[in-house]
Structures are given as C-alpha cells and as structure tokens.
Amino acid sequence: MAKFLSRDINLMGFQISHSNKQKLKPFCDDPDSMLPDVEAYASWLLKHPSALNSFDCIMKEAKGKKVVVFLDYDGTLSPIVEDPDKAFMSTEMRAALREVAKQFPTSIISGRSRDKVKEFVQLNNVCYAGSHGLDIMQPPKSRDKKGNEGAFQPAKLFLPAIQEISMELEHKIRETQGSRIEDNMFCISVHYRQVPPQDQGNLKEKVKSVVENRPEFRLTEGKMVIEVRPSIEWNKGDALNYLLHTLGFSNANDVLSLYIGDDQTDEDAFKVIAGKREGFPIVVSSIPKETKAWYSLRDPSEVLAFLLRLAKWNKSQASFLQQDYI
C-alpha cells in the first residue's frame, strides 16, 4: 500500500513504463466474432466456472463483508456494436445497475471518456472512471462539503500532447474508409471494425507511425480498436486500488471486491483482485481466452442476470447483516 500512497502523493512523478518502440503483438480480428468451439469452451469453463452457476459459492465468501462492485462498460454492461457511439445499455441493465449501486459502492472503469460513459449510464449513484482509469470522478464519500465532484487525473500534463496526436491522427487516417477516431480525453481510440480487411494493416501502420517517435506514449489494442495512451504506470488495476483507498477500504480486512470486465485492459484489475485474494475477478467471454479471472459470464445478458441476483441476495441478507455500504 505504501507504493500506492507514494503514487497518490507524487501525481506527476510517473515514470515511462513502456516503450512504443517495442514490437507490438500482431493485431487480429475481433475474437468474439469467431464461431465458438463448444468442446474448447466447455473445457475452459472447468477453469473459469460460470459466476451464475457458482453464485452461492461466491456469495458465501461475502457474508459479513462489505461488497464493492467494479464494472467495465463496453462488452459488459452493453454489447459490442459496430458504431461505438451507439453502445447503449438496456433499460433493464440500467435498472439493475441502479439497484446494485443503492446497496453497494459501485464504480465503472472504462476506456471511454468519463463524460461519455456517464452519458451512456445516466446514473448518479455510480462512480465513473474514464480513459482506463486516468480520469476518475471522486466517489461521493470523498467529495467536498459543497458536493463538488472533482477528478483524479494522473496524466493531466499529457493533455496538450494528446490533443496534438489526435489532430495528426485525424489527418493521417481520414482517407481510410470505415475508420473513426474517438477522443476519450486521456486515451485516443482508433476504431477499425468497419474498415475493409485489406485496409486494416495499412491503418495500423499509420497509427503506429504517429507515436513511434514519442516515447511518452504507447499503443495498446482491444476489440477492433487501437489506442494511444500515455506511457505511465497506471492502469485499471491502479484505478481499482485508488477507488478502494478513496472509499476507505484499502486496509480493511472485511471487504470483498467484484470486478466484471471483458477486455484485455480489465486483466490488470483481475490481477490486483486475484493477488489480494479479497474478491472475485469475473471475465465476460463467449469463447476460451487467456485470463486471470477466476469466474466467467458469457455475455451482457448474463451480467444482467448476475447483477439482479446480487441485488436480490443482499435484500435477503438484510435481516442478518447490517452493513453500512456507503
């Protein structure tokens, strides 16, 4: 925890942790578009059992503890869609999330900009962390007496350079059919889901060329998206730790964290929870994949079912457990 507090004090003392001159892993098509291998998935489920089928086992560990909920957005609360501006969550999902957030401290940690994911979710009882945790809204418990939100932004000094890169990318890829840039404030996302397969390689090279001489930035990849991010030692796992610390749970022995996410960037949060052994990392995937998660859910519909069951479980425990969740 001392290492984390040191980061919190020295906000702008981050060191560059990745070189963009490292050879990137080969980009591949969206793995969720592949036809599922029933046998392989069944085998994978033995290692990462369904969180729905294992719900009672998971919640047995939660008795007498304060449950804290963390969620990704795209692919978790909403389905992956062709147009990222139309990744709307369902009315049922919003209602379930609202109910969960009434009962447990709940945060959404997304690669989207904080404002964008808040616009999608439309709930005020949820804490939002955008740009993979580089822009975190202060939880209600830590806001000032006037209720001002404020934000924790460890990469704030990078903003001018990020805006410059964004303009350069707009110029570089504007003629690539189907490509689109999403400005996520501290993260620039280049979506290529609608780019013809024969043009995707060229697009990736163009994006790479923009940052290859900028060691303070790095490229990461997700589902049919390339992202330009500051090369600082901060990820969703750090954001999770920061939120636990800010909520007053960092040194508590009676806390159980649930983190549900579907993307590679969520693995950093899975690693934190698995390392502490004070919660359950849950991956959302309909195909076998390498993951540090212990449990799994197939798709957002199963996430919805899990959240509904979580809220129902807490109500059933109300007469036995008197927890102060907020």
Side-chain angles (χ1 to χ4, degrees), residues 54-271:
S54 307
F55 185 84
D56 291 339
C57 179
I58 291 173
M59 300 321 294
K60 182 179 180 181
E61 296 296 321
K63 289 184 178 180
K65 296 184 179 180
K66 297 179 178 67
V67 175
V68 187
V69 179
F70 299 93
L71 299 150
D72 181 32
Y73 183 75
D74 291 275
T76 300
L77 295 175
S78 74
I80 300 292
V81 295
E82 290 290 325
D83 184 348
D85 289 335
K86 296 181 179 178
F88 305 118
M89 64 191 302
S90 67
T91 302
E92 293 80 8
M93 183 70 84
R94 182 174 294 105
L97 183 59
R98 180 187 292 111
E99 190 61 33
V100 166
K102 284 180 182 178
Q103 301 176 50
F104 311 100
T106 301
S107 301
I108 297 175
I109 307 178
S110 171
R112 300 272 193 163
S113 71
R114 179 164 57 93
D115 288 343
K116 186 65 177 180
V117 74
K118 188 175 182 181
E119 179 185 324
F120 277 139
V121 176
Q122 300 174 23
L123 294 176
N124 293 323
N125 60 343
V126 170
C127 180
Y128 298 94
S131 302
H132 301 292
L134 289 170
D135 185 18
I136 304 177
M137 180 181 74
Q138 291 185 2
K141 189 175 181 179
S142 65
R143 294 174 193 169
D144 62 27
K145 293 180 180 179
K146 294 182 180 179
N148 294 326
E149 290 182 356
F152 176 69
Q153 299 173 331
K156 192 171 184 178
L157 291 180
F158 288 85
L159 276 177
I162 291 172
Q163 292 167 0
E164 181 182 315
I165 291 173
S166 182
M167 288 188 290
E168 190 173 342
L169 280 171
E170 287 278 6
H171 176 74
K172 282 260 187 183
I173 72 169
R174 62 187 176 186
E175 294 182 359
T176 303
Q177 179 186 351
S179 66
R180 60 184 302 156
I181 293 178
E182 184 178 10
D183 181 358
N184 290 313
M185 193 168 183
F186 293 99
C187 169
I188 305 168
S189 301
V190 181
H191 298 274
Y192 62 92
R193 187 176 294 274
Q194 295 178 318
V195 174
Q198 66 271 20
D199 297 332
Q200 292 177 6
N202 186 42
L203 173 69
K204 296 163 192 173
E205 288 302 315
K206 287 180 179 179
V207 176
K208 185 178 179 181
S209 70
V210 172
V211 298
E212 62 185 358
N213 293 317
R214 289 183 168 100
E216 69 275 26
F217 288 93
R218 61 188 171 112
L219 292 181
T220 58
E221 56 180 304
K223 294 179 178 178
M224 307 297 281
V225 62
I226 314 165
E227 296 178 319
V228 180
R229 300 163 61 183
S231 295
I232 65 172
E233 294 183 6
W234 193 267
N235 54 46
K236 286 188 175 184
D238 296 297
L240 183 150
N241 270 334
Y242 174 82
L243 286 164
L244 285 173
H245 170 65
T246 308
L247 289 165
F249 296 140
S250 56
N251 294 315
N253 296 319
D254 60 345
V255 172
L256 184 137
S257 299
L258 298 175
Y259 189 106
I260 306 177
D262 74 306
D263 211 337
Q264 184 62 36
T265 56
D266 297 307
E267 293 294 327
D268 294 311
F270 294 161
K271 182 179 179 181

